[in-house]
Amino acid sequence: MDSMHRPATPPSPAVLAHLRASNLVGATYVGLTAVATAVGVWLSVHTGPAAWLLGQIVLAACFVEWFVLLHECGHGTLFRNRLANVVAGHVAGVAALIPFDSWRRIHGRHHKWTGWQDLDPTTAVLAPRPLGRLERVVVNLCWRLWIPLFAAAYRLNNFWNVPRLLRLFTAPATRTRVVVSVMATAGVYVAAIILLGPTMTARLVLVSLFLSFIAQDVLIVSQHTHVPMGLSHGHAVDPYPTLAQEPFTRSLRLPAWLSRALLHFDAHELHHMYPFVPGYELHAVPYTPAHEVPWTRWIPAARAMPGEQLFFQNRDETGFDL
């Protein structure tokens, strides 16, 4: 639907009930990503520097794609079949450096509490607070130099921090699944290092992971950072309904071909409003969100800001509003 003819008000979820997951589409995305990953590995084991560099670029793109597939599997919307989502989610989690069960629990709570910065586990660390001098220096320096601090901290604090996970989730069954997922995922990495050796492991993933984290830094930071949100201050509050979450997120509009390849991961407002819609069907939602911004505008403007302002303040405080 042409953007000039798209409705000014969002459609009700019932109108979008036909946008359902497809096993064929899900298998196509997973299959193509697996083949591309194998090609990246094959190129990266070659001794020639040109082949190795190309392999690292291919693998970096694959690591970003696996992260997107993990996100989709966590919602149960990559495949129509539940078991397929779980199996693919665990595979994607290993490739994305995020245990699947940790992801599924934390990301579910993120969607529940979007709009309440101190209750959403993925934004709580960015709630307003006094920053130490060293903290400010590190955040500003990493953001200026494109060192993907956020993508790394996002993983460590939210999905690998077992004491925090156990505080957030108190049900015994949930705790068991999360801990097992963390241990099993870590075990895969240990086994891979033993099998391949530290040198070959570093040759395969060190640069490619770093490049993928740079890309993920941009994608993740653009979605909820520097957006005004509420603070519960420990009081009992109600979650925002999905259709009311649009003001608390941002959509980074990528080129159409890239958006399609990434399952429209950039359509983040629509995703929060209609989390039951598969990412690869979000383009069919007849609505243009209010905070959609081209990547060519947002990235240079955001990179020009000090990291401490971008991460720990919002547009009402700084005036930075694209």
Side-chain angles (χ1 to χ4, degrees):
M1 182 180 293
D2 189 276
S3 60
M4 295 186 65
H5 298 92
R6 294 166 81 88
T9 56
S12 69
V15 174
L16 306 178
H18 64 288
L19 300 177
R20 301 182 61 194
S22 162
N23 288 336
L24 177 60
V25 174
T28 299
Y29 273 103
V30 171
L32 290 175
T33 306
V35 170
T37 302
V39 171
V41 170
W42 181 77
L43 289 169
S44 295
V45 299
H46 279 60
T47 55
W52 172 80
L53 180 59
L54 178 59
Q56 290 299 284
I57 294 172
V58 171
L59 278 178
C62 290
F63 287 138
V64 175
E65 187 73 9
W66 283 118
F67 172 71
V68 171
L69 295 177
L70 168 69
H71 172 262
E72 206 69 24
C73 289
H75 282 281
T77 51
L78 183 60
F79 296 90
R80 185 170 297 191
N81 180 273
R82 181 184 178 279
L83 180 60
N85 280 304
V86 172
V87 172
H90 282 291
V91 173
V94 169
L97 270 66
I98 298 175
F100 180 58
D101 278 303
S102 296
W103 169 268
R104 190 160 49 170
R105 303 296 178 178
I106 289 290
H107 195 67
R109 187 162 290 195
H110 158 65
H111 272 267
K112 177 180 179 179
W113 292 112
T114 292
W116 294 106
Q117 190 174 24
D118 53 343
L119 295 180
D120 178 346
T122 66
T123 61
V125 70
L126 302 178
R129 59 183 173 82
L131 299 177
R133 187 172 185 274
L134 177 61
E135 190 173 18
R136 291 199 304 272
V137 169
V138 170
V139 169
N140 290 335
L141 187 64
C142 288
W143 184 245
R144 179 181 292 274
L145 298 180
W146 291 72
I147 299 172
L149 174 67
F150 187 82
Y154 175 76
R155 283 168 166 76
L156 293 173
N157 186 54
N158 289 313
F159 311 110
W160 289 96
N161 189 340
V162 173
R164 183 173 185 245
L165 290 167
L166 295 180
R167 288 196 302 270
L168 288 171
F169 306 106
T170 57
T174 301
R175 284 181 161 186
T176 299
R177 292 181 67 88
V178 167
V179 171
V180 169
S181 184
V182 168
M183 293 178 63
T185 305
V188 171
Y189 302 144
V190 172
I193 293 171
I194 292 173
L195 179 65
L196 298 174
T199 302
M200 178 57 71
T201 302
R203 179 181 178 84
L204 284 174
V205 303
L206 208 58
V207 172
S208 55
L209 278 177
F210 185 81
L211 293 175
S212 76
F213 273 29
I214 291 176
Q216 291 175 58
D217 233 23
V218 172
L219 288 172
I220 298 169
V221 169
S222 70
Q223 293 174 344
H224 297 283
T225 304
H226 211 75
V227 175
M229 297 186 192
L231 294 169
S232 72
H233 297 295
H235 300 299
V237 295
D238 294 325
Y240 286 98
T242 55
L243 284 180
Q245 293 185 12
E246 181 182 6
F248 308 116
T249 187
R250 183 189 297 109
S251 301
L252 190 68
R253 192 188 319 133
L254 299 174
W257 66 269
L258 183 55
S259 178
R260 190 177 302 111
L262 295 177
L263 287 75
H264 302 292
F265 189 76
D266 53 333
H268 206 63
E269 291 164 275
L270 290 179
H271 169 62
H272 268 266
M273 297 166 73
Y274 307 103
F276 61 89
V277 174
Y280 46 77
E281 293 287 1
L282 284 174
H283 68 285
V285 177
Y287 177 67
T288 301
H291 303 106
E292 185 178 278
V293 58
W295 69 276
T296 51
R297 285 175 52 199
W298 188 84
I299 293 178
R303 286 289 175 180
M305 292 185 67
E308 61 180 301
Q309 290 184 8
L310 181 69
F311 287 99
F312 295 97
Q313 298 182 36
N314 63 61
R315 58 175 174 257
D316 290 343
E317 298 168 308
T318 66
F320 172 72
D321 185 13
L322 287 178

